[in-house]
Amino acid sequence: MARAGYEGVAVAVPVSVPYVRYSTRGAHWFVARALKALLDASGLRKDEIDGLTISSFSLTPDTAVGVTQHIGMAPRWLDHIPMGGASGIVAMRRAARAIQAGDAEIIACVGADTNAVDSFRMSLGSFSNFARDATYPYGSGGPNSMFAFITSHYMRSTGTTRADFGKIAVAQRTNALKNPVALFRKPLTLEEYLQARAVADPIHLFDCVMPCAGADAFLVMSEERARRMKLPWARILGTIERHNAYAEDPIMVRGGWVMDQAQLYGQAGLGPQDMGFLQAYDDYPVIVMMQLEGMGFAPIGQGKEFVRRHELHYGGSFPVNTSGGQLSVGQAGASGGFLNVVEAIRQLCGQAGARQIPQVQVGAVSGFGMVTYDRCVCTSGAVMATGARA
């Protein structure tokens, strides 16, 4: 069945609460800061936001419901999306449908998490029963060991080298040097990447994201409302989400985008060759490589060839993660699943500052989340285009 389009929907006002390595403040504080930033940037009153979606791991035991009470909101549309790296796109697409249906007029989409000294270890312990049960009996837990397993299998299956992954990490660090909120602002060379200490072979230091605290957010509303408010905005040309795709694969080498890629680009009326960038979820370089393949820029298993023939920084032949991505900006929990969407909006609205891609009009965004030992379960993708620029 053909999907209805997203005509008449605007995505606007990308904001970030600056990331910090550790914080004693709770997730509610970062959510509230993000909402305040949305109000300040848009000129809206709090009671004009009548829809809210939240993604956060450290809100527990609260959900989006608890947030409404804590910050004094009474939305008529509410969603809580615990899908990790897929969350930002899923939040955007569901909010867009709510706008089209008239269920809300202005929806705030927020990803936020805190990071106390011990909170990362505690969140890993309760993240997934499947992941916990699969790893703890072997004395190994946490994402580094799981992604070492996935990365090693991918390298053996495809012939990808650490230098191929390194080109992704180095390009993203180049992008981060132009991002004033990135936590990593020191240049990185390929030699430094290759010589970095091993963490869980073949994962080395610069393959790993750094957990931190922070928030990213944006607004979804009608194009008419965005015009009235004189806001720069981006359009949604197509979106997809898929969960537990290819469960029969012994170890993940592809994601759910492959199932829905034709529908995504068919809905947009464009193809991968028309995209001016890819903003991908990037907790580890292997995941970026899988998204290059899954989103149609290279056949499955041949992402390395695409990476080898392209420059991936913001001024290159195919920009990837122009904010610096989580590998250089930091991973603020579920906010990492919003960083790619927020950067796409900035690029398409002409608000990316020194890292702005010249004359970009359309681009792709992809999300990948909820790793459970040998695979990520949630995938999402979008094609977005310029609506009105700054």
Short mmCIF file of all heavy atoms in Angstrom, two decimals, residues 38-70:
data_model
loop_
_atom_site.label_atom_id
_atom_site.label_comp_id
_atom_site.label_asym_id
_atom_site.label_seq_id
_atom_site.Cartn_x
_atom_site.Cartn_y
_atom_site.Cartn_z
N LEU A 38 13.94 26.07 22.56
CA LEU A 38 12.96 26.09 21.48
C LEU A 38 12.07 27.33 21.58
O LEU A 38 11.77 27.98 20.57
CB LEU A 38 12.09 24.83 21.53
CG LEU A 38 12.75 23.52 21.13
CD1 LEU A 38 11.82 22.34 21.41
CD2 LEU A 38 13.16 23.52 19.67
N LEU A 39 11.64 27.66 22.80
CA LEU A 39 10.80 28.84 22.99
C LEU A 39 11.57 30.12 22.65
O LEU A 39 11.05 31.01 21.96
CB LEU A 39 10.29 28.90 24.43
CG LEU A 39 9.38 27.76 24.89
CD1 LEU A 39 9.02 27.93 26.36
CD2 LEU A 39 8.12 27.69 24.05
N ASP A 40 12.80 30.21 23.10
CA ASP A 40 13.61 31.40 22.85
C ASP A 40 13.87 31.59 21.36
O ASP A 40 13.82 32.71 20.84
CB ASP A 40 14.94 31.31 23.60
CG ASP A 40 14.78 31.44 25.10
OD1 ASP A 40 13.69 31.88 25.55
OD2 ASP A 40 15.72 31.09 25.82
N ALA A 41 14.15 30.49 20.66
CA ALA A 41 14.51 30.58 19.24
C ALA A 41 13.29 30.83 18.35
O ALA A 41 13.42 31.40 17.27
CB ALA A 41 15.22 29.31 18.79
N SER A 42 12.11 30.39 18.81
CA SER A 42 10.91 30.51 17.98
C SER A 42 10.03 31.70 18.33
O SER A 42 9.21 32.14 17.52
CB SER A 42 10.07 29.23 18.11
OG SER A 42 9.57 29.09 19.44
N GLY A 43 10.16 32.20 19.57
CA GLY A 43 9.28 33.26 20.03
C GLY A 43 7.94 32.75 20.52
O GLY A 43 7.03 33.55 20.81
N LEU A 44 7.79 31.46 20.65
CA LEU A 44 6.53 30.87 21.13
C LEU A 44 6.40 30.98 22.65
O LEU A 44 7.39 31.08 23.37
CB LEU A 44 6.46 29.38 20.74
CG LEU A 44 6.28 29.05 19.27
CD1 LEU A 44 6.60 27.58 19.03
CD2 LEU A 44 4.85 29.37 18.81
N ARG A 45 5.16 30.92 23.12
CA ARG A 45 4.90 30.73 24.53
C ARG A 45 4.82 29.23 24.82
O ARG A 45 4.49 28.44 23.93
CB ARG A 45 3.57 31.38 24.96
CG ARG A 45 3.45 32.86 24.70
CD ARG A 45 2.14 33.39 25.29
NE ARG A 45 0.99 32.55 24.94
CZ ARG A 45 0.27 32.70 23.83
NH1 ARG A 45 0.58 33.64 22.95
NH2 ARG A 45 -0.77 31.89 23.61
N LYS A 46 5.07 28.86 26.04
CA LYS A 46 5.04 27.43 26.38
C LYS A 46 3.69 26.80 26.10
O LYS A 46 3.62 25.66 25.61
CB LYS A 46 5.42 27.24 27.85
CG LYS A 46 5.52 25.78 28.28
CD LYS A 46 6.14 25.62 29.66
CE LYS A 46 5.28 26.20 30.74
NZ LYS A 46 5.81 25.87 32.11
N ASP A 47 2.59 27.54 26.35
CA ASP A 47 1.27 26.94 26.15
C ASP A 47 0.88 26.83 24.69
O ASP A 47 -0.15 26.24 24.36
CB ASP A 47 0.21 27.71 26.93
CG ASP A 47 0.09 29.18 26.51
OD1 ASP A 47 0.76 29.59 25.54
OD2 ASP A 47 -0.69 29.90 27.15
N GLU A 48 1.70 27.37 23.77
CA GLU A 48 1.44 27.21 22.34
C GLU A 48 1.97 25.88 21.81
O GLU A 48 1.60 25.47 20.71
CB GLU A 48 2.05 28.37 21.56
CG GLU A 48 1.38 29.71 21.80
CD GLU A 48 2.00 30.82 20.98
OE1 GLU A 48 3.09 31.29 21.38
OE2 GLU A 48 1.42 31.21 19.95
N ILE A 49 2.84 25.23 22.56
CA ILE A 49 3.31 23.90 22.18
C ILE A 49 2.31 22.89 22.74
O ILE A 49 2.23 22.68 23.95
CB ILE A 49 4.73 23.64 22.71
CG1 ILE A 49 5.72 24.59 22.05
CG2 ILE A 49 5.13 22.19 22.47
CD1 ILE A 49 7.15 24.45 22.54
N ASP A 50 1.51 22.29 21.86
CA ASP A 50 0.46 21.39 22.31
C ASP A 50 0.74 19.92 21.99
O ASP A 50 -0.13 19.07 22.13
CB ASP A 50 -0.90 21.80 21.73
CG ASP A 50 -0.92 21.82 20.21
OD1 ASP A 50 0.15 21.69 19.59
OD2 ASP A 50 -2.02 21.97 19.64
N GLY A 51 1.98 19.65 21.58
CA GLY A 51 2.41 18.28 21.36
C GLY A 51 3.84 18.10 21.83
O GLY A 51 4.65 19.03 21.76
N LEU A 52 4.16 16.93 22.34
CA LEU A 52 5.50 16.69 22.89
C LEU A 52 5.89 15.24 22.69
O LEU A 52 5.08 14.33 22.94
CB LEU A 52 5.51 17.02 24.39
CG LEU A 52 6.80 16.79 25.16
CD1 LEU A 52 7.91 17.72 24.67
CD2 LEU A 52 6.57 16.97 26.66
N THR A 53 7.12 15.03 22.22
CA THR A 53 7.67 13.68 22.18
C THR A 53 9.05 13.71 22.84
O THR A 53 9.83 14.64 22.61
CB THR A 53 7.75 13.14 20.75
OG1 THR A 53 8.32 11.82 20.77
CG2 THR A 53 8.60 14.01 19.85
N ILE A 54 9.31 12.73 23.66
CA ILE A 54 10.55 12.66 24.44
C ILE A 54 11.26 11.34 24.17
O ILE A 54 10.62 10.28 24.12
CB ILE A 54 10.27 12.77 25.95
CG1 ILE A 54 9.57 14.08 26.29
CG2 ILE A 54 11.56 12.61 26.75
CD1 ILE A 54 10.43 15.31 26.17
N SER A 55 12.58 11.40 24.02
CA SER A 55 13.42 10.21 23.99
C SER A 55 14.50 10.39 25.05
O SER A 55 15.25 11.38 25.01
CB SER A 55 14.05 10.02 22.61
OG SER A 55 13.08 9.74 21.64
N SER A 56 14.56 9.47 25.99
CA SER A 56 15.55 9.56 27.06
C SER A 56 15.64 8.22 27.76
O SER A 56 14.64 7.53 27.95
CB SER A 56 15.14 10.65 28.06
OG SER A 56 16.05 10.71 29.15
N PHE A 57 16.86 7.86 28.14
CA PHE A 57 17.08 6.65 28.93
C PHE A 57 17.16 6.95 30.42
O PHE A 57 16.85 6.10 31.25
CB PHE A 57 18.36 5.94 28.49
CG PHE A 57 18.32 5.42 27.09
CD1 PHE A 57 19.21 5.87 26.13
CD2 PHE A 57 17.37 4.48 26.71
CE1 PHE A 57 19.17 5.39 24.83
CE2 PHE A 57 17.32 4.00 25.41
CZ PHE A 57 18.23 4.46 24.47
N SER A 58 17.59 8.16 30.78
CA SER A 58 17.85 8.48 32.18
C SER A 58 16.69 9.20 32.87
O SER A 58 16.82 9.63 34.01
CB SER A 58 19.14 9.30 32.31
OG SER A 58 19.12 10.44 31.47
N LEU A 59 15.54 9.32 32.19
CA LEU A 59 14.33 9.84 32.85
C LEU A 59 13.78 8.86 33.88
O LEU A 59 13.04 9.25 34.77
CB LEU A 59 13.24 10.10 31.81
CG LEU A 59 13.18 11.45 31.12
CD1 LEU A 59 12.07 11.45 30.10
CD2 LEU A 59 13.01 12.59 32.10
N THR A 60 14.10 7.59 33.70
CA THR A 60 13.52 6.54 34.53
C THR A 60 13.56 6.90 36.02
O THR A 60 14.57 7.45 36.49
CB THR A 60 14.25 5.20 34.27
OG1 THR A 60 13.65 4.18 35.05
CG2 THR A 60 15.73 5.28 34.62
N PRO A 61 12.49 6.64 36.76
CA PRO A 61 11.30 5.87 36.40
C PRO A 61 10.23 6.68 35.66
O PRO A 61 9.17 6.15 35.36
CB PRO A 61 10.76 5.42 37.76
CG PRO A 61 11.12 6.56 38.67
CD PRO A 61 12.47 7.02 38.19
N ASP A 62 10.50 7.95 35.37
CA ASP A 62 9.53 8.76 34.63
C ASP A 62 9.58 8.44 33.14
O ASP A 62 10.54 7.84 32.64
CB ASP A 62 9.82 10.25 34.83
CG ASP A 62 9.24 10.79 36.13
OD1 ASP A 62 8.21 10.26 36.58
OD2 ASP A 62 9.83 11.72 36.69
N THR A 63 8.55 8.90 32.45
CA THR A 63 8.51 8.91 30.99
C THR A 63 8.11 10.31 30.57
O THR A 63 8.18 11.26 31.37
CB THR A 63 7.49 7.88 30.46
OG1 THR A 63 6.18 8.27 30.87
CG2 THR A 63 7.81 6.48 30.96
N ALA A 64 7.67 10.46 29.34
CA ALA A 64 7.22 11.77 28.86
C ALA A 64 6.09 12.32 29.74
O ALA A 64 5.95 13.54 29.88
CB ALA A 64 6.77 11.67 27.41
N VAL A 65 5.29 11.44 30.31
CA VAL A 65 4.20 11.89 31.17
C VAL A 65 4.75 12.67 32.37
O VAL A 65 4.24 13.75 32.72
CB VAL A 65 3.36 10.68 31.65
CG1 VAL A 65 2.30 11.13 32.64
CG2 VAL A 65 2.73 9.98 30.48
N GLY A 66 5.77 12.13 33.01
CA GLY A 66 6.36 12.81 34.15
C GLY A 66 6.94 14.16 33.78
O GLY A 66 6.92 15.11 34.59
N VAL A 67 7.47 14.27 32.56
CA VAL A 67 8.02 15.54 32.11
C VAL A 67 6.94 16.62 32.07
O VAL A 67 7.17 17.76 32.48
CB VAL A 67 8.67 15.39 30.71
CG1 VAL A 67 9.01 16.75 30.12
CG2 VAL A 67 9.92 14.53 30.80
N THR A 68 5.76 16.27 31.58
CA THR A 68 4.70 17.28 31.47
C THR A 68 4.36 17.87 32.84
O THR A 68 4.16 19.08 32.97
CB THR A 68 3.42 16.70 30.84
OG1 THR A 68 2.88 15.68 31.67
CG2 THR A 68 3.72 16.13 29.46
N GLN A 69 4.32 17.03 33.86
CA GLN A 69 4.03 17.52 35.20
C GLN A 69 5.19 18.35 35.75
O GLN A 69 4.98 19.41 36.35
CB GLN A 69 3.73 16.36 36.14
CG GLN A 69 3.33 16.81 37.55
CD GLN A 69 3.04 15.63 38.46
OE1 GLN A 69 3.58 14.54 38.27
NE2 GLN A 69 2.20 15.85 39.45
N HIS A 70 6.38 17.88 35.50
CA HIS A 70 7.56 18.54 36.07
C HIS A 70 7.73 19.95 35.52
O HIS A 70 8.10 20.87 36.25
CB HIS A 70 8.81 17.70 35.75
CG HIS A 70 10.03 18.12 36.51
ND1 HIS A 70 10.58 17.36 37.51
CD2 HIS A 70 10.81 19.22 36.41
CE1 HIS A 70 11.64 17.97 38.00
NE2 HIS A 70 11.81 19.09 37.35
#
